[in-house]
Amino acid sequence: MSNRSANSEFIIIGFPGLQQKFHIPVSITMFLVYCVSLLANSSVIILILQKDQLHQPMYIIIRNLALSDLLFDTITLPKIIAKYWFGAGSISFYGCIFQLFCIHSLASLDSLVIMLMAIDRYVAICKPLRYHSIISNKLVSLLCFFFWVLAALIGSTVAVIAGQLPYCGPNRVKNFCCVYSAVTVLACVDVTLARWTFFTLAMCVLLLPLAFIILSYILIIRVIHSSTNNKNSWKAFYTCTTHLIVIGLYYIPRVFVYSTSQIPLILDADINVFLLCLYTFVPHLANPIIYCLRTKEITHIFELSFNNIVLLKSMQTSKNLQ
């Protein structure tokens, strides 16, 4: 990192225009979001690890997505909650750069993992008889490991670009965490080149996987349309609606926000932060809930676990009454 930076720390602002009386309600909302995300994503990870019937390629992908979302929320939310509860909004320069690295690494990882989901669904629907010969647990595990490494390289590139800029003036980060756009705007040099470099990298990370996803679903729809057993094919496609919801929640808001940041359309700082929270934390909450509600295997396991708990409690109550 460059020694030209006079700022030894940054101050996380959160919502710049938020009045004092709303600090507690907003922080409580974020705390509840974190608790639900922690519980839901942890449950999905533990469930998939423990149950042998869930040791399948699709669930390995879901487990990696849940782990990524859990790490992202743990790295970002406690700090902004502490800022609103205790006024502890300061973060060291290197702490901010590390948070920036984690944020952009994990966001890139989500994009790559969601693309892998689309490829898995394509093979499952278009080549069902060859699915297990093409997609194996070992192959998916290796691909996920490769995506973690690739995402870390992307995050490192973004962190190095941001870390080498000199910061010798304002140190108030107008966001809930150290994202690239909110940090680099504080540099005391022209950051046009750095901003366009990041925009190009972000569009590649978003649009290349999105192109694979769109192509996968075009081929899926084409196969379903030409299938003789149309009813069963559409039933198979119905299982993909879960994935389509995740795609919509992840890609559409991000492409909009990144695109508007490069054109004269200037959004209010609070709206920018709100949109960032919306397209970041809503998917993290929705993903495990969607998978549990729409995946028969996970739903069945939860039902069995719940029934066992109820049975044990009723047996204990009966024993106490005796």
Side-chain angles (χ1 to χ4, degrees):
M1 296 299 175
S2 173
N3 291 324
R4 295 176 294 166
S5 295
N7 294 339
S8 60
E9 67 175 18
F10 292 103
I11 308 296
I12 305 292
I13 301 299
F15 291 91
L18 189 67
Q19 297 179 18
Q20 182 74 31
K21 61 182 179 181
F22 294 117
H23 283 193
I24 296 300
V26 168
S27 61
I28 290 175
T29 302
M30 289 185 168
F31 177 73
L32 292 174
V33 166
Y34 179 58
C35 289
V36 173
S37 175
L38 185 66
L39 178 63
N41 285 296
S42 297
S43 298
V44 169
I45 294 168
I46 293 169
L47 196 67
I48 293 172
L49 284 173
Q50 287 188 340
K51 301 298 180 179
D52 291 338
Q53 61 265 46
L54 298 181
H55 292 176
Q56 301 175 30
M58 186 60 181
Y59 295 108
I60 293 173
I61 298 170
I62 292 173
R63 185 181 68 201
N64 278 271
L65 185 63
L67 178 59
S68 173
D69 292 347
L70 180 62
L71 289 174
F72 189 105
D73 293 347
T74 301
I75 288 164
T76 56
L77 282 174
K79 186 61 187 176
I80 191 62
I81 292 168
K83 179 258 184 299
Y84 283 124
W85 281 5
F86 312 113
S90 63
I91 183 171
S92 69
F93 175 81
Y94 290 106
C96 185
I97 297 300
F98 176 73
Q99 190 184 65
L100 183 148
F101 158 76
C102 293
I103 287 168
H104 292 288
S105 294
L106 295 171
S108 301
L109 178 64
D110 279 0
S111 181
L112 296 168
V113 170
I114 292 170
M115 176 187 69
L116 187 57
M117 278 186 183
I119 296 170
D120 176 84
R121 289 301 84 200
Y122 162 74
V123 177
I125 294 173
C126 299
K127 301 180 184 296
L129 299 179
R130 296 181 57 201
Y131 177 79
H132 292 291
S133 63
I134 298 172
I135 305 291
S136 64
N137 288 355
K138 183 178 180 180
L139 175 64
V140 170
S141 298
L142 287 173
L143 286 173
C144 287
F145 175 75
F146 172 72
F147 287 157
W148 277 89
V149 174
L150 179 59
L153 291 174
I154 294 169
S156 298
T157 302
V158 174
V160 167
I161 294 171
Q164 288 184 339
L165 295 172
Y167 300 92
C168 48
N171 66 341
R172 295 163 66 86
V173 178
K174 294 181 179 179
N175 214 305
F176 71 90
C177 59
C178 290
V179 293
Y180 183 87
S181 57
V183 172
T184 54
V185 74
L186 301 175
C188 47
V189 294
D190 183 17
V191 294
T192 303
L193 179 60
R195 188 175 71 247
W196 276 103
T197 301
F198 172 75
F199 175 73
T200 303
L201 182 61
M203 286 296 101
C204 289
V205 171
L206 285 173
L207 297 182
L208 288 177
L210 184 58
F212 275 99
I213 291 167
I214 293 170
L215 178 61
S216 296
Y217 277 96
I218 289 173
L219 294 173
I220 288 171
I221 293 170
R222 183 181 174 185
V223 167
I224 290 172
H225 185 70
S226 61
S227 175
T228 53
N229 196 348
N230 203 265
K231 186 177 179 180
N232 287 339
S233 296
W234 279 110
K235 186 183 287 188
F237 180 75
Y238 179 72
T239 62
C240 296
T241 55
T242 299
H243 188 224
L244 290 172
I245 293 169
V246 174
I247 292 168
L249 288 171
Y250 182 86
Y251 285 100
I252 295 172
R254 278 176 168 80
V255 171
F256 172 76
V257 170
Y258 287 154
S259 299
T260 54
S261 67
Q262 302 300 318
I263 59 178
L265 176 62
I266 300 174
L267 297 176
D268 181 75
D270 288 309
I271 294 176
N272 266 326
V273 177
F274 175 74
L275 288 174
L276 187 60
C277 290
L278 194 65
Y279 71 66
T280 299
F281 298 120
V282 170
H284 294 181
L285 285 174
N287 288 349
I289 296 170
I290 289 170
Y291 295 136
C292 291
L293 292 177
R294 299 301 301 275
T295 308
K296 290 181 180 180
E297 289 88 348
I298 293 180
T299 305
H300 181 62
I301 289 170
F302 272 120
E303 286 176 354
L304 288 176
S305 300
F306 179 76
N307 290 336
N308 288 336
I309 292 170
V310 172
L311 182 62
L312 287 172
K313 283 189 175 181
S314 52
M315 289 175 64
Q316 188 177 8
T317 304
S318 301
K319 187 176 180 180
N320 291 335
L321 289 173
Q322 292 175 358

